[in-house]
Amino acid sequence: MKTIFQCIKHLFETIFIRRKYVITTTRSGIIFYYLGENSSWTPIPSGAKIYNKKPDFEWISDLFHKVEEY
């Protein structure tokens, strides 16, 4: 019975919960969020540019940037 509820929960999450993404980078131990304007960064998560789909830009590198769920 427990596995049935887990399957239903997982199905609900994949269909109805919309994931959002932000682009982050770490400098001197501080996480900065991409603003999306003039290549600006901010340490405040509420000011970040939020994407509905996982962004795949050419300038995002695996070494310096991360795409995280918001």
Side-chain angles (χ1 to χ4, degrees):
M1 193 69 170
K2 184 178 179 180
T3 57
I4 293 172
F5 286 125
Q6 288 176 344
C7 291
I8 292 171
K9 180 183 173 187
H10 179 69
L11 181 65
F12 177 80
E13 288 176 351
T14 56
I15 293 173
F16 294 109
I17 296 177
R18 303 290 182 207
R19 290 180 169 55
K20 297 187 184 276
Y21 300 94
V22 294
I23 301 171
T24 62
T25 187
T26 304
R27 296 180 198 153
S28 303
I30 300 173
I31 297 175
F32 286 91
Y33 299 89
Y34 183 63
L35 286 174
E37 299 173 357
N38 301 327
S39 298
S40 300
W41 297 84
T42 181
I44 304 168
S46 62
K49 170 86 172 162
I50 300 171
Y51 299 92
N52 292 329
K53 296 179 183 175
K54 193 169 185 176
D56 187 25
F57 301 123
E58 293 179 6
W59 58 267
I60 297 176
S61 67
D62 294 335
L63 295 175
F64 302 110
H65 306 100
K66 292 182 182 176
V67 177
E68 298 179 2
E69 286 188 19
Y70 181 71

